[in-house]
Amino acid sequence: MSTDDTTTTDDSTSNCGASTTDTDDSTSSCGGASGSSDSSGCGASSDTDSNEQTVSATVDDFDADPGSLVAVGLGPGRPEGMTDRATAALADAEHIVGYTTYVDLLPDEITDDAEEIYDTPMCGEVSRTEEAVDRALAGNHVAIIGSGDPNVYALAGLALEITESKGATPSMLDFEVVPGVPAAQSCGARLGAPLVNDSVSISLSDHLTPMPEIESRLHAVASEEFTISIYNPWSRKRRENFQKACEILLAHRDADTPVGIVHGAGREDEEVEITTLGELESYGETDLIDMTTTVVIGNAETYVFDDRMVTPRGYETKYDY
Amino acid sequence: MSTDDTTTTDDSTSNCGASTTDTDDSTSSCGGASGSSDSSGCGASSDTDSNEQTVSATVDDFDADPGSLVAVGLGPGRPEGMTDRATAALADAEHIVGYTTYVDLLPDEITDDAEEIYDTPMCGEVSRTEEAVDRALAGNHVAIIGSGDPNVYALAGLALEITESKGATPSMLDFEVVPGVPAAQSCGARLGAPLVNDSVSISLSDHLTPMPEIESRLHAVASEEFTISIYNPWSRKRRENFQKACEILLAHRDADTPVGIVHGAGREDEEVEITTLGELESYGETDLIDMTTTVVIGNAETYVFDDRMVTPRGYETKYDY
């Protein structure tokens, strides 16, 4: 599953998985790696229940001086959307850890230069993040990557939580976050200027947040003039979350409120549609809305002009133009 | 006031300001430029009232075929925070238009290569944006720049509004937005992982949004578990907005809620402080909080660990680590 083309190095017996390019690295000497990346779907955990990924090695299990850990946001997906700082952080990293889809988005010069790439499919985020922390504690310079920004529904927090659970500290690992362009901004740019005022991001995934809390948050912000970026709007398992969200939004905002739908922003399968809140629910069963889609809900001032969404900042109330 | 070192070019008589490196360009042949950038403070308008910047030229006043207009987000400030796409867009631009402070942040190779730089001090955003639109309508390839992202309290919307007011269209100008890393993400990264869940951005500036609306929005989101990034938290003219915001937040959240304060993220005068909501108001009169500061308010789950703010995404409710 790994895309690593590494040659075995001398430190292969003391570092996490440094000798391996395949799923055998889950049994490497780093002590705590629970991940086996060969199972399909949410199967990066070695436990029978994929919701029961465990973290086992602690800081005391590592003999080496700690290395470093950096959480890098790649932005929208294509290399041109990465910051120079992100590119430099990946060039400096010995090991790059990430979800396979994101690793595949990296430029060849970065993946070719890395000593090791450890990638697992979706839903293995806990064991993958632990692998990154373990490799850093074992003395390696490690980058854990994700699309967008590490602070937006991403792994910066999990990396810190797992570091803490191991009795280690971020200072020990020179832990750093390299920010990236979040999906809301990538999609906003594609749509024009829909977010140019107070704005909110909400995920409709109830995997980690109970749906009643999500509903309550939607009510709170829809009744004020926030523009709303909806992450994880739809999956087969939770089509009713999307329907419910549309209902709540319609309870507070006009059916003709402009809505932008951006699928796969910055990727090859990018698709953009501008519609209205009244029509939004009908897109739920189309290919346009899936886990790679961000939906941007305008406020009462938002309008559509020449296929662009515009949310005025308020200049028109003070200036004559 | 301009940092332009341009030599006069042949098209200096047909393009907006192409012959000039100084404030005389406000009288150039582009017809509508209202800006005179030599006055201090909010003085980029030639009108006596700085709130009365006017837009006058329309699309019919331009003989040339339109050029292009791109709104480019620079991210946190240092060149390393720019995306490759932003760098490429600026390299392609003939004219670069922006607030002087942001122009000063550009790498020399970009400012040296541009045919013209038009920069004005703070508060000239309407006339500056019109200058950018006019230059594009006059046939030039123009980039208008800002820090952060063009969709976050920035000029992407104003550029579209002014384009519309002139009877032009974004398609006519191949109008494009190049997203950047917003201040909330730059500051979040500096603080650790404070924003890894549903999150909101609110500006405390009541220049364009009435304070009662801002207060109502603060109540709405503080009563739900959003993390909150506060932009424009303090200025001498509106110290009471900051006090009021602290009061509202404290009405909904514990006094020991972690709060991160980041001044000048990514710039030379960057300063970071982690405090509590109960202490926040006392920072209002210090140098730490001004218009370049972003304040990040944690939610009920946010905690501080080894000088990092962590807002759990919720993995700990499902996974054992």
Side-chain angles (χ1 to χ4, degrees), chain A residues 160 169-171 175, chain B residues 188-194 259-260 272-275 303-310:
Chain A
L160 286 171
T169 65
S171 303
F175 179 74
Chain B
R190 223 24 216 85
L191 293 164
V259 169
V272 178
E273 179 91 25
I274 296 180
T275 183
Y303 64 95
V304 178
F305 164 56
D306 188 31
D307 283 335
R308 266 77 167 187
M309 278 174 78
V310 183

Side-chain angles (χ1 to χ4, degrees), chain B residues 150-201:
Chain B
N151 249 295
V152 180
Y153 309 113
L155 300 179
L158 191 57
L160 286 170
E161 290 176 71
I162 288 177
T163 299
E164 186 182 12
S165 77
K166 289 175 178 288
T169 65
S171 303
M172 199 182 276
L173 295 175
D174 291 330
F175 179 74
E176 212 185 334
V177 177
V178 174
V181 175
Q185 266 54 53
S186 300
C187 298
R190 223 24 216 85
L191 293 164
L195 300 172
V196 189
N197 215 324
D198 294 340
S199 196
V200 60
S201 294

